[in-house]
Amino acid sequence: MRGKMKKIVLSGIKPTGIPTLGNYLGALKNFVKLQNEMKDYEFFIFIADLHAITVPQDPKELKQNIKNLAAIYLAAGLVPERTTLFVQSEINEHAALGFVMQSISYMGELERMTQYKDKMQKQVQGVSSALFTYPSLMAADILLYDAEYVPVGDDQKQHLELTRDLAIRFNNRFGETFVVPEGLISEKGARIMDLQDPSKKMDKSSEGERGCVFLLDPLSTIKKKIKSAVTDSEAQVRYDKDNKPGISNLMTIYSLISELSYEEIEEKYTSRGYGDFKKDLAELVAGEIEVVQNRYREIINSGKLDALFDQGKEKAKVLAAKKLHKVYKKIGLGRY
Ligand code: TYM
């Protein structure tokens, strides 16, 4: 379909605040792993800044967050030889195809999106219409590049299903145009929970920051947050998601960083209490994040970022423009 181009894996993260340990384990670390494993695929990873403004942002902070996320992508191990890195708003085709996607999205299906319903409940006042149509824009991000696979955390599953529906709907109405993408959702780590309330997912916007580890937190803060995570009174390191959600969440984090299985972790801590376990986990997490932070500090001031993101923009733009032209033609927009 696309001549010599390799098949594409695509994903993005919103530059709202500093990325969390949830973003890292559920998305970023996975992008890097897949980038290194799936050699037959080309990777497109972008900064979803248009998505960020669906809730109010301070302009200066937004600009800084975009730069931070750019550096964090590289610090985490994405390499430009394998991954095209770019900023969403620099490619106008995203917004344009987003509008086309809105034109084939039904009110009813957007109303069913749980993330919209949750945010709507929290925000009450001043909910923007862009927050409502957010999933149509996300579909455009993916379909613009004919992405086959989209690695995301669990909370994006519904948006991906909508993307598939929209791709199929468009193809049926206007003729074969889009690749119908598939989500890549890891079995482990797709939903890292809040350290203080393990019934909620770890999220930048949750009240109280004690339950959320941010990638640029001082290492001492990170350790403190892990050590004061909520567990239960059984004091036995055992994976049981339903009855022991706190310790199970910590075991997931442990397992993802150490690459030990749940059984191996259980065995290791069989006659030791939560104190020991949390202390070790605090060191593990801080050790992993320390590496990212050190690389981040080198990159953010190196002056390399702009050139890389310019390159990415150029490459993404070619594909996006071609696709949008095809879409307009199929729909009958414009004169050509
Ligand atoms: P965002 O910025 O909210 O989150 C980025 C990625 O992190 C994952 N994630 C988590 N994974 C595990 N545990 C958690 N607690 C946790 N919190 C967040 C998310 O699932 C996501 O993969 N709409 C997207 C950004 C986006 C996008 C796209 C993604 C825009 N267009 C196209 C893929 C393809 C979002 O808001 O992610």
Side-chain angles (χ1 to χ4, degrees), residues 129-149:
S129 57
L131 189 64
F132 182 64
T133 55
Y134 176 119
S136 309
L137 177 60
M138 178 159 162
D141 300 335
I142 298 166
L143 301 180
L144 206 43
Y145 300 94
D146 281 337
E148 287 205 6
Y149 290 111

Side-chain angles (χ1 to χ4, degrees), residues 11-12 14 22-23 26 51 134 138 141 152-153 155-156 189-190 192 202:
S11 196
K14 286 193 306 269
N23 295 135
H51 280 90
Y134 176 119
M138 178 159 162
D141 300 335
V152 282
D155 60 351
Q156 300 299 321
I192 299 297
M202 184 182 283

Side-chain angles (χ1 to χ4, degrees), residues 14 18 22 78 124 134 286 292:
K14 286 193 306 269
I18 302 297
L78 290 175
V124 192
Y134 176 119
V292 176

